[in-house]
Amino acid sequence: MIPGAFDYHRPSTVAEAVTLLADAGEDGRVLAGGHSLIPMMKLRMATPETLIDLRHIDELRGIDENGGTITIGAMTTQAEMIASGLLADVCPILRETALQIADPQIRNLGTIGGNVANGDPGNDLPALMQALDAAYVIAGKSGSREVAARDFYEAAYFTALQDGEVLTAIRIATPPAGHGWAYEKQKRKIGDYATAAAAVLLTMSGGKCASASIALTNVGDTPLFAEAAGAALAGTDLGADAVNAAVAAAEAIAEPAEDGRGPVDFRIKVAGQMVRRGIARAASRAS
Amino acid sequence: MNDQTPTAVERAEKLQGLGSKRKRVEDARFTQGKGNYVDDIKLPGMLFGDFVRSPYGHARIKSIDKAAALAVPGVVAVLTAEDLKPLNLHYMPTLAGDVQAVLADEKVLFQGQEVAFVVAENRYVAADAVDLVEVDYEQLPAINDPFKAMDADAPVLREDIKDKMEGAHGPRKHVNHIFTWEVGDKDAAHKAISEAEVVAEEMISYQRVHPCPLETCGCVASMDKINGKLTIWGTFQAPHAVRTVASLITNIPEHNIRIISPDIGGGFGNKVGVYPGYICSAVASIVTGVPIKWIEDRIENLTSTAFARDYHMKGRISATSDGKITGLDCHVLADHGAFDACADPTKFPAGFFNICTGSYDIPAAHVTVDGVYTNKAPGGVAYRCSFRVTEASYFIERMVDVLARKLDMDPADLRLKNFIKKEQFPYTSVLGWEYDSGDYETALDKAMKTVDYTGLRAEQKANREAFDRGETRKLMGIGVAFFTEIVGAGPVKNCDILGLGMFDSCEIRIHPTGSAIARLGTISQGQGHATTFAQILASEIGIPADMITIEEGDTDTAPYGLGTYGSRSTPVAGAATAMAGRKIRAKAQMIAAYLLEVHEDDLEWDVDRFQVKGNPESHKTMAELAFASYNQAIPGLEPGLEAVSYYDPPNMTYPFGAYLCVLDIDVDTGVTDVRRFYALDDCGTRINPMIIEGQVHGGLTEALAIAMGQEIAYDEIGNVKGATLLDFYLPTAVETPAWETDYTVTPSPHHPIGAKGVGESPNVGGVSAFSNAVNDAFAHKGLTHTQMPHDHWRVWKTAEKLGLNG
């Protein structure tokens, strides 16, 4: 549990970080909260030669909403997300999800950027970002670009992030007032990754579900945007048939691996249960 | 006397003796982060050791190339079995009469086995060098299933003993067989079962778990080449035994070895054994002449030092149709891993498993245990229990529940019907133990009344009906468990470890001004000995507990003892403490007689003083007598006031308790919610009720962990599945329910103060209570038994097999 040797940099601007990362080449890694990377380094499964610590870059922190878009700096900690009155008002599922990540000590250091950019399928925020249809703002040597969360994840630990790029912010269209939300997560204990989890967002209109968006955590190599599950709800009154169809659609795309959390069939069924419960809770919150 | 004179009751309260909820004196340093653990020890010139470990469950070592590792700046040495062979230290004796490879000799037998020991200037260099030691392995087929260990075509694991078919505990049936242990009257038990009206049969497995103390194992070994003295600081639950073993295997005279256990961050049996890290550190210090530190990381702890349980118990229990138990038969297949390193008294290769008749008056019983080798880590320690008692207790408590289902009787009623009755104590069990005292019926009756057992069963009936009507997806389970522990090993006549009798000791010195120091052969790992042993003494010798220092763990100063495990500290060392205190008081009485100019027989003891009978104004306090012992020339008496007692207990002690667990199971997710847990413990005389409560809380939390999630599992080729705390279940405060504790008091008749020991009871009784509750939740659907751990997926699978989820 002792990492190999590495160089350590602590830049104070994004431009400086991008330059350092380019100079470091393929053996350079950026460090955010460190909760994924440092354990991997201790196990020597990751052996970066250069670490570029983003914690002292002020421009990467902060939460604001402007013109119907929420922007969260990549180095905003999960604790800051939880403490944000703004998020609690306009997009409460962010707070609800962040509260289910690990434990308070970890959330004090863990960041939204680290959580979504690392490509760890166990992380909770990537599926949520897919449900919210968030966009990731990415800076590189040649400037800045945006990638949709739904297009970002390629495989476990493989993402659209290129060598030399740094995630700088997350942008989310502010959900409509009165939307319903729920992040349902089953885990073995505090600090564990999900056995399965589901993010559910929906809007109601005249007693019918106007729109629904569902994504799944830790039941595949990547977070899974359950497009068909959401579609199964849209236009219905969320009756048993519609919910069963959504659950079946979610279960159909789940491809978990067997691990200490349980065998494949169990984890698929738990994913379905999380969707079912998420729909019920989201509906109860919608107006 | 005037109205300002303290009464005897007030004086007794000031002593904070037996029964006082005295705050733990240890906590001032622990809560401020000022404990002194082995990894806090830093010595000048100290080097660090780190292991190259086997990535395979079973493989032949074709070659080891140290060159690249030795080339790293700061690396001092790389030891392999070849380096230890000339010293005959490549194998070491285990506590169970086997030998264990210190560094792998030609073969590795479990994943994580120690292959080479790198010594370097710091941990970072050592870790770098570990990566550079090139070991060429040829992988071999592994045995991960103990039921296949004795197959005709099973791979030979222990080539070092393949021709030695006479083992430490008798003949071996197969090259992978370790021992067979048989107790009881086979014919009588089988006859009782074959003639019985009702027989229940079940295979009860108790999975491999690990004690997982928060502090892992480690040591600092320091050889002083000038005076020839080897000092080892380490996480030792039995420092004197370690000293003797170290002397025997190194040939260093015992007086030149000093073992020191500093603060220990939990042991739970994990720190009883002797591990390769200790031997390699000592050898490296002897070779280099500088101190060597070795500290395990968490993965190393979970995969190489001392697992627990892994008992597979096939049982049959018989009864009359109205529920009187007539017979019990049990065969255990015990998975001991690659080396037999169980920590049991020598004559008991399966520990005290023959306590498996439990709290019941069973007229015929028979037990056999077969130990086998597999490609898993060695160990088999008593994880917060006396030797194999949790296994035995779990076995009988599950079997009684299984029998209750078969008889269609309430499990509490079946227990009440078969309890050993109060008037039967001292009770000799059919498998050979003499239970010292008990009142089981009163305890279970109190427990059932407190939780309103009848009301709970009625609620459960309503819940089951609501479930069947589709109104709820949760099933309620009620777990009843009653346990009898056997602790306080033990009488020297039948208990020894490597020939060392399992007595314990206390040495007391009273200082002139009336304070004292007492030293014991035990060592606290969180039990609060510095608090409770001072309380025993306070009551015995009338000196306030706050004025008594308790010291343990340094073999150069403490009297010889066998250490702390198996709830033996209070039953054995606690008794030694009381007996040494009584010697002090006897001498003090002689001094008082001289000073008060009366005959000794004319004096009586009153809390903290000797007073003349009928004239309490004429008295001498213990403080006065202490001073007198240092400044008076008393004819016929030596100066000073000191005593030592080596206590050989006449019997074990038998704490017991009634536990009740109420939980709700979500059949769609397998999530179990413990809504209530009530634990009634009877540990005899209660020394410190607050510490007892804390011990029960901790033990129940470990029991929850074992029953609901802990498992060290291996795959087919011997890889450990999940060896970090991400997978190995340690509950946090969030997962831990609120515990309700209660007690009855049935003193031990043979212990000087009637105390029995309690630290391990909640682990012994708790696991059965949780497991019985999970099984009970599904009982009406036809389930007789489902294996632990009752984690989400296994519970869900149980529900699925019963057709309860969709």
Side-chain angles (χ1 to χ4, degrees):
Chain A
M1 292 297 281
I2 291 176
F6 55 87
D7 292 329
Y8 175 81
H9 299 276
R10 191 190 282 171
S12 52
T13 65
V14 172
E16 201 185 332
V18 167
T19 304
L20 284 165
L21 193 56
D23 293 349
E26 61 182 16
D27 291 320
R29 291 288 300 270
V30 296
L31 177 69
H35 287 299
S36 297
L37 182 56
I38 289 177
M40 300 274 274
M41 290 169 63
K42 285 181 167 182
L43 292 166
R44 297 191 178 224
M45 290 163 76
T47 52
E49 289 179 3
T50 306
L51 275 191
I52 297 148
D53 188 345
L54 305 180
R55 217 173 319 171
H56 295 261
I57 303 178
D58 289 341
E59 62 189 287
L60 288 180
R61 302 185 98 97
I63 302 167
D64 70 58
E65 192 211 12
N66 205 336
T69 300
I70 301 165
T71 304
I72 306 174
M75 287 300 291
T76 305
T77 65
Q78 292 138 19
E80 287 163 348
M81 291 168 67
I82 291 164
S84 164
L86 173 67
L87 291 186
D89 283 344
V90 302
C91 193
I93 195 172
L94 284 167
R95 180 172 193 275
E96 174 160 297
T97 307
L99 274 168
Q100 295 183 67
I101 298 171
D103 56 53
Q105 289 97 322
I106 285 176
R107 298 195 293 260
N108 284 338
L109 282 176
T111 64
I112 184 171
N115 197 285
V116 303
N118 196 39
D120 184 339
N123 287 347
D124 291 292
L125 293 174
L128 174 60
M129 294 304 147
Q130 293 193 334
L132 286 165
D133 198 14
Y136 299 159
V137 184
I138 293 165
K141 265 283 190 198
S142 51
S144 183
R145 65 185 182 114
E146 280 195 19
V147 178
R150 292 176 187 173
D151 300 328
F152 185 75
Y153 299 97
E154 294 164 0
Y157 304 103
F158 286 91
T159 67
L161 208 58
Q162 302 291 315
D163 281 348
E165 288 187 326
V166 179
L167 176 75
T168 57
I170 290 95
R171 289 197 183 134
I172 302 162
T174 307
H179 74 282
W181 80 93
Y183 189 73
E184 288 284 341
K185 178 179 182 181
Q186 181 166 334
K187 57 189 173 187
R188 295 171 295 182
K189 62 177 174 184
I190 289 293
D192 194 16
Y193 294 119
T195 302
V200 179
L201 290 148
L202 50 79
T203 55
M204 300 295 286
S205 174
K208 297 235 183 241
C209 174
S211 66
S213 174
I214 295 172
L216 309 175
T217 294
N218 212 24
V219 284
D221 252 8
T222 64
L224 299 175
F225 176 55
E227 193 170 3
L233 299 178
T236 75
D237 59 359
L238 300 181
D241 288 348
V243 172
N244 288 341
V247 167
E251 289 178 356
I253 60 165
E255 289 184 306
E258 173 168 346
D259 65 10
R261 294 168 192 84
V264 170
D265 57 347
F266 165 70
R267 295 186 64 190
I268 290 173
K269 286 295 177 189
V270 173
Q273 281 296 325
M274 295 301 104
V275 169
R276 183 179 297 280
R277 291 168 194 205
I279 293 168
R281 210 148 54 82
S284 75
R285 285 163 161 173
S287 55
Chain B
M1 189 194 286
N2 61 40
D3 61 3
Q4 301 296 306
T5 308
T7 65
V9 170
E10 288 166 345
R11 284 187 280 122
E13 273 174 8
K14 273 183 100 165
L15 295 179
Q16 294 191 288
L18 293 182
S20 164
K21 292 184 180 178
R22 183 182 185 219
K23 285 193 176 162
R24 285 165 36 113
V25 297
E26 297 91 340
D27 289 345
R29 69 178 189 279
F30 291 148
T31 55
Q32 295 178 69
K34 302 281 199 236
N36 185 41
Y37 298 92
V38 64
D39 205 12
D40 293 319
I41 294 166
K42 294 178 176 66
L43 300 178
M46 188 169 75
L47 302 175
F48 292 79
D50 197 355
F51 279 111
V52 176
R53 292 179 181 274
S54 170
Y56 298 113
H58 192 196
R60 195 168 304 286
I61 297 173
K62 293 164 77 178
S63 65
I64 301 177
D65 186 349
K66 314 175 182 178
L70 284 168
V72 175
V75 172
V76 175
V78 178
L79 301 178
T80 64
E82 291 306 312
D83 301 302
L84 298 180
K85 276 181 187 171
L87 306 166
N88 202 28
L89 282 176
H90 57 311
Y91 281 92
M92 62 180 182
T94 70
L95 297 178
D98 195 0
V99 294
Q100 176 178 348
V102 173
L103 291 171
D105 178 29
E106 297 172 14
K107 263 175 63 164
V108 287
L109 290 162
F110 65 93
Q111 188 181 57
Q113 185 177 348
E114 300 82 359
V115 173
F117 190 67
V118 173
V119 179
E121 283 172 4
N122 61 54
R123 284 177 182 161
Y124 294 87
V125 172
D128 286 344
V130 162
D131 267 4
L132 295 172
V133 175
E134 286 174 30
V135 186
D136 189 11
Y137 295 99
E138 176 196 342
Q139 204 173 347
L140 300 169
I143 301 174
N144 82 333
D145 179 354
F147 289 93
K148 294 179 179 161
M150 292 198 284
D151 284 356
D153 59 349
V156 176
L157 302 191
R158 291 287 301 279
E159 287 174 4
D160 60 309
I161 55 164
K162 69 176 190 296
D163 299 323
K164 189 174 168 249
M165 294 309 287
E166 186 65 25
H169 307 286
R172 303 196 297 136
K173 297 189 279 205
H174 183 281
V175 68
N176 295 328
H177 181 243
I178 307 171
F179 67 87
T180 299
W181 191 58
E182 183 168 11
V183 202
D185 186 335
K186 181 179 177 181
D187 293 341
H190 287 195
K191 184 167 182 288
I193 291 166
S194 65
E195 293 174 355
E197 292 164 348
V198 180
V199 178
E201 193 168 344
E202 199 59 72
M203 178 75 203
I204 313 274
S205 274
Y206 197 142
Q207 77 275 18
R208 176 175 282 237
V209 295
H210 194 281
C212 194
L214 287 188
E215 178 203 30
T216 59
C217 297
C219 71
V220 176
S222 180
M223 182 72 197
D224 184 332
K225 291 201 169 183
I226 306 299
N227 63 21
K229 189 148 184 160
L230 174 66
T231 305
I232 307 177
W233 292 260
T235 46
F236 306 125
Q237 287 182 240
H240 283 97
V242 168
R243 184 184 71 189
T244 301
V245 172
S247 176
L248 290 171
I249 64 181
T250 62
N251 289 319
I252 298 172
E254 200 165 350
H255 74 283
N256 271 340
I257 300 177
R258 182 180 185 187
I259 304 294
I260 302 173
S261 295
D263 283 331
I264 297 180
F268 314 115
N270 181 234
K271 294 167 179 170
V272 171
V274 174
Y275 298 124
Y278 307 154
I279 308 286
C280 288
S281 300
V283 169
S285 183
I286 291 166
V287 171
T288 62
V290 295
I292 309 289
K293 178 184 277 188
W294 166 74
I295 305 285
E296 284 182 318
D297 67 26
R298 180 61 59 193
I299 294 174
E300 292 176 302
N301 179 250
L302 285 172
T303 56
S304 70
T305 48
F307 78 93
R309 324 299 193 229
D310 219 343
Y311 256 35
H312 307 276
M313 306 171 280
K314 191 164 177 50
R316 287 187 299 158
I317 189 166
S318 62
T320 60
S321 56
D322 62 348
K324 184 77 189 104
I325 300 172
T326 58
L328 179 72
D329 188 41
C330 178
H331 176 261
V332 182
L333 186 66
D335 185 339
H336 284 224
F339 305 95
D340 185 13
C342 289
D344 294 314
T346 306
K347 296 185 186 73
F348 297 89
F352 303 156
F353 186 79
N354 54 329
I355 194 75
C356 66
T357 52
S359 312
Y360 312 104
D361 185 17
I362 301 179
H366 171 247
V367 168
T368 50
V369 182
D370 277 300
V372 294
Y373 292 120
T374 59
N375 289 112
K376 302 181 189 174
V381 295
Y383 169 7
R384 202 172 187 144
C385 70
S386 198
F387 315 99
R388 300 294 188 184
V389 173
T390 37
E391 291 92 325
S393 185
Y394 182 64
F395 169 73
I396 186 65
E397 287 306 289
R398 283 298 309 131
M399 287 306 293
V400 168
D401 260 27
V402 171
L403 177 63
R405 305 292 170 239
K406 189 126 190 176
L407 288 162
D408 199 22
M409 260 180 91
D410 183 276
D413 291 342
L414 182 59
R415 285 174 170 81
L416 284 165
K417 186 166 186 124
N418 288 283
F419 274 154
I420 300 161
K421 303 277 180 274
K422 187 180 176 183
E423 57 274 13
Q424 288 177 277
F425 291 93
Y427 170 85
T428 302
S429 77
V430 71
L431 293 179
W433 295 112
E434 188 189 304
Y435 293 38
D436 58 350
S437 64
D439 182 356
Y440 299 163
E441 200 175 325
T442 300
L444 184 55
D445 196 51
K446 185 176 182 184
M448 289 167 69
K449 286 201 171 87
T450 308
V451 302
D452 182 18
Y453 184 74
T454 314
L456 286 170
R457 285 292 177 198
E459 184 188 343
Q460 183 183 46
K461 186 166 176 285
N463 159 259
R464 287 172 172 180
E465 288 163 4
F467 184 91
D468 288 342
R469 288 194 302 268
E471 292 165 11
T472 176
R473 300 294 292 152
K474 289 190 176 177
L475 285 173
M476 176 179 171
I478 302 167
V480 181
F482 199 97
F483 66 91
T484 298
E485 260 241 87
I486 170 171
V487 305
V492 172
K493 63 177 187 279
N494 58 6
C495 287
D496 71 273
I497 288 184
L498 295 179
L500 304 167
M502 295 181 75
F503 60 84
D504 226 290
S505 58
C506 175
E507 179 191 286
I508 306 171
R509 297 178 188 177
I510 312 294
H511 305 315
T513 50
S515 63
I517 182 167
R519 296 188 169 108
L520 297 96
T522 46
I523 176 69
S524 183
Q525 305 124 39
Q527 292 89 341
H529 290 176
T531 308
T532 51
F533 286 135
Q535 290 182 249
I536 294 174
L537 268 185
S539 287
E540 291 290 341
I541 63 175
I543 289 176
D546 283 346
M547 294 177 71
I548 303 170
T549 297
I550 300 292
E551 215 178 79
E552 304 174 298
D554 183 341
T555 58
D556 265 13
T557 57
Y560 205 100
L562 267 277
T564 294
Y565 44 85
S567 279
R568 64 185 303 281
S569 298
T570 295
V572 191
T577 304
M579 298 308 272
R582 288 172 194 182
K583 290 183 184 176
I584 295 278
R585 210 161 83 185
K587 184 170 180 182
Q589 188 167 4
M590 290 190 251
I591 299 169
Y594 172 80
L595 296 175
L596 293 167
E597 299 181 353
V598 294
H599 190 274
E600 279 174 49
D601 294 346
D602 295 328
L603 293 171
E604 61 186 4
W605 175 253
D606 183 49
V607 181
D608 57 354
R609 63 192 57 185
F610 279 104
Q611 62 195 22
V612 176
K613 286 177 186 168
N615 182 18
E617 303 259 337
S618 181
H619 66 260
K620 290 289 174 189
T621 65
M622 199 60 174
E624 292 170 324
L625 295 168
F627 202 73
S629 76
Y630 284 87
N631 71 2
Q632 297 274 333
I634 302 173
L637 275 185
E638 290 180 1
L641 192 51
E642 300 187 359
V644 59
S645 170
Y646 283 76
Y647 187 80
D648 178 9
N651 191 3
M652 312 281 187
T653 60
Y654 296 76
F656 59 93
Y659 289 1
L660 282 151
C661 172
V662 185
L663 47 76
D664 301 295
I665 291 173
D666 182 331
V667 297
D668 292 321
T669 59
V671 174
T672 299
D673 178 34
V674 177
R675 77 159 101 135
R676 187 164 190 196
F677 198 101
Y678 169 90
L680 179 147
D681 274 278
D682 191 321
C683 59
T685 303
R686 291 159 62 83
I687 298 167
N688 182 325
M690 185 193 70
I691 286 187
I692 290 172
E693 212 166 275
Q695 289 284 312
V696 172
H697 285 190
L700 289 176
T701 306
E702 284 185 332
L704 172 84
I706 293 168
M708 309 313 278
Q710 286 191 349
E711 185 185 23
I712 299 284
Y714 288 78
D715 70 10
E716 296 72 28
I717 56 169
N719 294 313
V720 183
K721 299 199 278 186
T724 73
L725 295 188
L726 189 66
D727 286 305
F728 191 74
Y729 183 53
L730 281 195
T732 71
V734 174
E735 289 80 34
T736 305
W739 309 115
E740 294 171 56
T741 58
D742 203 348
Y743 62 96
T744 54
V745 177
T746 311
S748 168
H750 63 78
H751 187 280
I753 61 168
K756 288 186 168 186
V758 74
E760 302 173 329
S761 295
N763 197 328
V764 174
V767 172
S768 310
F770 290 113
S771 187
N772 282 351
V774 170
N775 279 283
D776 181 71
F778 297 110
H780 63 303
K781 298 289 182 188
L783 180 72
T784 55
H785 176 74
T786 184
Q787 306 289 8
M788 292 192 292
H790 303 302
D791 47 11
H792 298 171
W793 75 265
R794 285 182 175 88
V795 170
W796 182 88
K797 281 277 179 193
T798 298
E800 187 196 33
K801 280 182 198 152
L802 296 170
L804 303 179
N805 55 28

